[in-house]
Amino acid sequence: MKIRSIITAICILSILSCFIFPAISVRAETKTFIKEYTYQAGDEDSKNSCRIIALREVKRLLLEELGTYLESETEVKNFQMTKDQIVTLTAGIVGTELIEEKWDGKAYWLKAKISANPQDVTKAIDTLRKDRARVKELEELRKISEELLKENERLTKKLKTAKGNVKKEAVKAYKQNIDNLSATEWFERGHELTISGNYTDAAKAYSKSIELNPNYYMTYLCRGFAYSWSGNSQQAIKDFNKAIGLKPNTAEAYSGRASVYEALGDYKQALKDLTSAINLAIDMPAFILSSKYNSRGSAHFELGNYEQAIKDHSKAIELRSTYSLAYFGRGLAYRKLKKYEMAINDYNRVIELYPQHTK
């Protein structure tokens, strides 16, 4: 249950980041925070386990420092959020970069940094904080991550004095705890690679997480998107199928599979999946639900269901009045029905929203 909650939160952020979060800009305003951490190896530790623990700890320190800085910013103050809440949301927005690391057989030392544009991070926090379900999941993520580190400390102390069967059980629990920490690292790596657009390597990172924890639906969901965006349609469908099999009420799995079917020209199956996604996403934020209506409108259009396409595009516009793709899609459907004046009105709206497209 612990690792499932971690995976759920991180993956959803991966998906949302690619669509709604602004890219973290590299401009003069970018702030960089650097931290070091040293982990002393215990009797049961390997180089890998020491590295995992040190990396988790240094990330925690970096996020707390960034959170303290953001808390002092005027715009973030207006959100009326605590530092803990800011840190929790920021964890899903920025990535950590390793600068240097050393292992001498007894201790693992590393130096890492976070570089981010405060304005971009603030915008992302503002978007994310409005999604209560995601905020709750991220809060659970941070809580669980902290519990894993505390459990590691507890087991380390226990191993120093434990003997016989008690020690065997403690060793087993310690190794499992390290696997859980390792799984979160691979998942976060997949998240960062997804944000950067490196979907092939993101899929590999998610696969590493699956090796450690093969039975969690969100692992397959995230890898499914990575495969989809890298053009591996068949593997993407397999992963979305697996995610749906493990948890049938996952709206994003149906949306993801629908996008693959659309790319393959199977609009009937895409239509079925998008309908399932809409029914399951009814309580999601408007900007998410609107994209699903717009996609279903496009599927209806491809099947020649122009009246239904207009209804779905109109619903998308109702949910997001500046949704240019929905206006364009509806304009195409109006044109097919020879409602030229209404089509022109929608095309004009697209031009108003994005005048640079006419150049």
Side-chain angles (χ1 to χ4, degrees):
M1 289 298 296
K2 289 184 177 181
I3 195 66
R4 179 177 297 180
S5 297
I6 291 173
I7 289 172
T8 300
I10 296 175
C11 184
I12 287 169
L13 280 169
S14 297
I15 296 165
L16 292 180
S17 296
C18 293
F19 291 109
I20 62 172
F21 288 170
I24 302 301
S25 305
V26 182
R27 301 196 298 266
E29 299 90 344
T30 296
K31 298 286 293 184
T32 298
F33 303 89
I34 299 175
K35 287 290 183 181
E36 299 178 23
Y37 189 86
T38 301
Y39 179 76
Q40 299 293 333
D43 292 340
E44 301 302 325
D45 276 313
S46 63
K47 177 182 179 181
N48 182 59
S49 66
C50 290
R51 184 180 188 276
I52 291 167
I53 296 164
L55 191 54
R56 297 304 302 173
E57 290 286 7
V58 81
K59 282 184 176 182
R60 178 179 59 80
L61 294 173
L62 283 166
L63 286 168
E64 287 181 355
E65 185 167 353
L66 176 57
T68 299
Y69 175 81
L70 290 172
E71 188 182 22
S72 68
E73 293 291 283
T74 302
E75 191 171 347
V76 176
K77 281 183 179 180
N78 293 336
F79 297 161
Q80 296 184 333
M81 298 171 65
T82 66
K83 177 187 171 183
D84 282 348
Q85 291 172 325
I86 295 169
V87 171
T88 297
L89 299 190
T90 304
I93 297 167
V94 299
T96 303
E97 180 183 344
L98 280 175
I99 299 174
E100 189 178 356
E101 53 189 317
K102 295 178 183 177
W103 164 247
D104 63 7
K106 296 180 180 179
Y108 207 104
W109 170 87
L110 53 77
K111 181 190 290 186
K113 70 177 182 180
I114 282 179
S115 295
N117 180 283
Q119 291 181 343
D120 290 341
V121 175
T122 299
K123 290 177 183 177
I125 289 174
D126 189 26
T127 299
L128 184 56
R129 73 190 180 96
K130 297 170 184 176
D131 188 347
R132 294 179 182 178
R134 300 293 82 79
V135 170
K136 184 177 180 181
E137 287 170 346
L138 282 172
E139 288 173 344
E140 184 66 13
L141 162 65
R142 188 180 179 200
K143 178 182 177 182
I144 292 169
S145 296
E146 291 175 350
E147 286 178 352
L148 286 173
L149 289 172
K150 288 179 181 178
E151 178 69 1
N152 186 77
E153 292 178 3
R154 185 188 73 81
L155 289 169
T156 298
K157 291 178 181 178
K158 186 175 182 179
L159 285 166
K160 290 180 179 179
T161 58
K163 296 180 180 179
N165 289 333
V166 174
K167 185 168 185 176
K168 287 182 180 179
E169 289 300 316
V171 169
K172 183 179 179 181
Y174 185 79
K175 289 181 177 178
Q176 182 60 56
N177 200 62
I178 293 299
D179 281 348
N180 287 346
L181 286 168
S182 183
T184 65
E185 280 303 316
W186 282 113
F187 221 98
E188 289 180 9
R189 181 58 180 157
H191 164 68
E192 292 169 8
L193 289 165
T194 298
I195 295 280
S196 68
N198 189 346
Y199 306 127
T200 299
D201 286 344
K204 292 177 181 178
Y206 292 134
S207 294
K208 290 286 188 180
S209 186
I210 286 173
E211 289 175 12
L212 292 165
N213 296 275
N215 298 313
Y216 300 111
Y217 76 97
M218 288 302 295
T219 321
Y220 297 97
L221 174 60
C222 288
R223 193 175 67 173
F225 277 103
Y227 278 135
S228 174
W229 294 329
S230 61
N232 193 340
S233 299
Q234 294 307 318
Q235 188 58 54
I237 289 175
K238 288 180 182 179
D239 276 352
F240 289 132
N241 287 344
K242 183 70 173 180
I244 291 169
L246 290 169
K247 190 171 182 180
N249 63 340
T250 307
E252 295 304 335
Y254 287 100
S255 292
R257 192 170 68 178
S259 68
V260 179
Y261 282 131
E262 284 182 315
L264 294 173
D266 189 348
Y267 298 107
K268 288 185 178 180
Q269 185 58 52
L271 192 64
K272 291 179 182 178
D273 279 350
L274 286 165
T275 298
S276 296
I278 288 170
N279 291 336
L280 291 167
I282 202 68
D283 293 326
M284 284 188 174
F287 58 81
I288 296 177
L289 188 56
S290 63
S291 67
K292 300 185 190 307
Y293 274 107
N294 187 62
S295 294
R296 193 172 69 173
S298 297
H300 275 302
F301 179 88
E302 294 295 340
L303 292 170
N305 305 329
Y306 304 125
E307 292 286 0
Q308 190 58 51
I310 289 169
K311 289 181 181 178
D312 277 346
H313 288 310
S314 295
K315 182 63 177 179
I317 291 167
E318 177 187 329
L319 291 165
R320 197 190 331 172
S321 61
T322 58
Y323 199 174
S324 61
L325 287 176
Y327 285 106
F328 185 74
R330 191 172 67 177
L332 291 176
Y334 278 136
R335 183 171 179 271
K336 284 290 186 179
L337 294 174
K338 298 183 179 181
K339 297 181 179 181
Y340 299 120
E341 185 175 348
M342 300 182 79
I344 290 172
N345 288 338
D346 276 347
Y347 294 149
N348 284 339
R349 182 62 174 142
V350 175
I351 294 170
E352 289 174 8
L353 291 167
Y354 291 98
Q356 66 270 27
H357 289 181
T358 63
K359 296 179 181 179

